[in-house]
Amino acid sequence: MSDAPIPADAAALLAAHDRTVVAQRPPAPSRALIRFRIWSAACAAAYVVTIMLIATTPNPGSSVNTTLVPVAAFILASALATETEQRFAVRRRARAIVPIALGLVAAAFVVIFWGTRTPAPLWAAALFGVAAFVALALPEWRRLRSTRPADDTRDTPWRNRPLSPETRLITWGMAAYLGMLLVLLRFDGGAEGQPLVFLALYGPLIFLTFVPRWGLRRLGAEWGPLHWAAFGVGLVAIMVVAPMTHAGLPGSDIACIGAGIAVFLLLGLCAQLPLRGSSGDPIRPAR
Amino acid sequence: MSAHPRHGLDEAFQTPVRLSLMAMLPAGSMIDFITLRDTLEASDSVLSKAVSQLQDRGYVKVTKGYEGTRPRTWVESTAAGRRAYRAHLAALRAIVADYPPEG
């Protein structure tokens, strides 16, 4: 190197470096992002339990939709989480090793019970769900304890604000989609009706994921805790009603339709809240 | 005779902005352009140039995304970048090791 610094220059460079390190130690994600990741961990754990229960419960008379609907719901939640994380200025890459290990253990669990033709006991699936949640959420929980309120100032505050008109409309669409997923759990169109079911399941999902102007990107940027709570209720309803329907429990027909209508109305109502003119700056419509 | 520590310096980190930029990017962290700019107190153009130069050497990775419909850019360090940065820092420290303190 021809123009290597003399010691004084090197000292100045080191001083500039140290000032940066002190000003930004550590470059931590905001607590809102960490809480959101804990929410996502709960969602993933619930999904694994649902799939384990469905996969190990033999019920030849049941519709294939009891498997397809939770898969669609999980893809939707994952895609929405990915878009939502973009609102945070500092992010930590999640390590892939834990989800991979959990996936392998869950697959082994399913193979064992499926191979022995015995339904997995609920307690075993629930225990695995709790273990999965702890494994996924514990690193985030530790991180939450080490962050400071000052780390939150980089991001737009995450609170309930009136949604832009476009996002309201998309939220209503999302409400209709979740409601439809719940009703589809009981729909059995036979071989002729299956293409229609696929279209209903995955058409809106593809549209929401790949059409930026009318997709999940807007929801991720604008939804506040209220909207996330309502969306969470919808996911929980799917994760609970799908195994019930698959097992053919009495009352599952009513549960599908009732939960579908309730989730549609709940998320639709939340799309209108908070009302315009209430506290909080309205969200600037994105161009 | 051992080589002078200056041989361990990396030209990519010879400016305070590029050196400080790497200091903000530990393994696994993705930081958006605006946060980097504000913390480093650099202009958009200076930071953009610094990021491009480090990107060309494979020391940082740039990811484009959107917050809603507003574009956003995230920067993260690569393993090669962190290795080069640590070596550069060690060389700088070795150079200043015997420098007399002020006063």
Side-chain angles (χ1 to χ4, degrees), chain A residues 1 17 86 89 91 93 286, chain B residues 28 30 32 66 69 72 76 85:
Chain A
M1 173 175 290
H17 164 267
Q86 307 229 11
R91 293 185 273 162
R93 274 198 187 281
Chain B
M30 299 172 76
D32 87 323
Y66 287 88
T69 51
R72 260 189 135 168
E76 63 185 309
Y85 169 70

Side-chain angles (χ1 to χ4, degrees), chain A residues 37-47 133 136-137:
Chain A
R37 285 201 168 165
I38 291 173
W39 186 95
S40 298
C43 183
Y47 172 73
F133 174 69
L136 291 169

Side-chain angles (χ1 to χ4, degrees), chain B residues 40-56:
Chain B
L40 296 174
E41 297 167 359
S43 65
D44 283 353
S45 57
V46 167
L47 182 59
S48 181
K49 197 173 163 193
V51 169
S52 296
Q53 285 167 337
L54 292 175
Q55 191 184 12
D56 290 345

